Amino acid sequence: MTTGVRRRMGVEERRRQLIGVALELFSHRPPDDVSIDEIAAAAGISRPLVYHYFPGKQSLYEAALRMAADELAGRFVEPHEGPLGARLLRVMGRFFDFVEGHGPGFAALMRGGPAASAGGSTTANAMIDEVRHAAYLQILAHLGVQDPPARLELVVRSWVSLAESTALIWLDGRRIPRAELELQLVHDFAALAAVSAAYDAEMAEVVLRIVADEPEEGPFGDLLARLTALAG
């Protein structure tokens, strides 16, 4: 029966299967702790057959990493409809869905891949830089800005890095409720933008345009209410 399955499965189909199996294993344990034997067993094939499709664990890891990176970048895609605060909150929800579902694999991706391979680290770093840039471009698109001023670029890139580092810290113990953290990150974006607006007229124009479309019951309105209560 197993042999029949092997015959029916084409090269690309088998490669996709192995990538999916590897990604699932990496989602529960760091890639360094997952062996080729385990991947083969989970796929229902022999160890030599794994090497037939991938020269080694590193090449399989990089293929799985590419799939994960593409999926993560896709989490920042959101229709350009409705208030920005609500859009960012939905993005953070999907982002943390990925983080929670791929814990060890997400940590390995963000930290440069398997510790034993300098080449793997370089590849992983290049992939995560692609994810960061994709997220950056998505946020600029939501803001309706194609040629961002220097301070806006700094705000958006800083926020993307903040979301990444916050997720990594959260995975270590999950001591803050996830929903609160997602909302806090949206508030962080508003705070970064507001502080920058105090220094720059172009940023002030961007922030005022955003605020004009925000309802009182939205995430940005919630932040204003919290700050008002704190001050009063």
Side-chain angles (χ1 to χ4, degrees):
M1 183 181 299
T2 303
T3 303
V5 172
R6 289 178 188 168
R7 283 199 303 267
R8 287 197 301 270
M9 193 172 288
V11 173
E12 287 306 313
E13 186 180 2
R14 178 65 77 185
R15 283 177 59 86
R16 287 195 299 271
Q17 181 212 22
L18 288 171
I19 291 170
V21 166
L23 188 58
E24 175 64 21
L25 291 172
F26 296 155
S27 296
H28 299 286
R29 291 157 56 204
D32 283 329
D33 295 344
V34 178
S35 70
I36 286 292
D37 287 333
E38 290 178 272
I39 294 170
I45 62 176
S46 67
R47 176 189 176 96
L49 193 54
V50 175
Y51 285 114
H52 175 73
Y53 293 100
F54 293 95
K57 179 180 170 180
Q58 184 61 40
S59 63
L60 178 53
Y61 172 77
E62 289 176 6
L65 198 63
R66 166 53 62 192
M67 179 182 288
D70 290 345
E71 181 183 347
L72 181 55
R75 301 300 174 106
F76 286 87
V77 177
E78 170 73 20
H80 296 180
E81 301 172 357
L84 179 64
R87 293 186 228 166
L88 292 181
L89 190 58
R90 289 192 292 271
V91 166
M92 286 296 95
R94 290 195 300 273
F95 174 68
F96 272 88
D97 282 344
F98 182 93
V99 170
E100 194 164 32
H102 299 80
F106 173 81
L109 172 64
M110 294 300 177
R111 290 169 178 152
S117 172
S121 179
T122 300
T123 299
N125 287 337
M127 289 184 190
I128 193 56
D129 281 345
E130 290 178 19
V131 173
R132 290 170 180 145
H133 189 63
Y136 165 74
L137 292 178
Q138 283 294 325
I139 301 305
L140 287 184
H142 283 291
L143 295 172
V145 177
Q146 292 184 336
D147 186 19
R151 289 186 187 274
L152 180 57
E153 179 178 355
L154 182 62
V155 165
V156 177
R157 291 193 185 278
S158 296
W159 183 71
V160 170
S161 295
L162 177 62
E164 170 192 322
S165 58
T166 297
L168 285 171
I169 295 169
W170 178 76
L171 280 172
D172 186 17
R174 310 186 186 197
R175 292 176 294 173
I176 299 175
R178 177 184 144 177
E180 288 184 17
L181 205 55
E182 291 169 7
L183 180 60
Q184 181 179 316
L185 279 166
V186 176
H187 288 171
D188 287 335
F189 180 86
L192 286 168
V195 170
S196 186
Y199 289 84
D200 184 85
E202 286 183 289
M203 275 301 301
E205 182 180 339
V206 171
V207 169
L208 289 174
R209 177 163 50 82
I210 293 171
V211 172
D213 295 330
E214 291 294 319
E216 290 186 8
E217 66 274 13
F220 291 169
D222 178 71
L223 173 60
L224 182 60
R226 289 171 186 265
L227 292 176
T228 301
L230 184 64

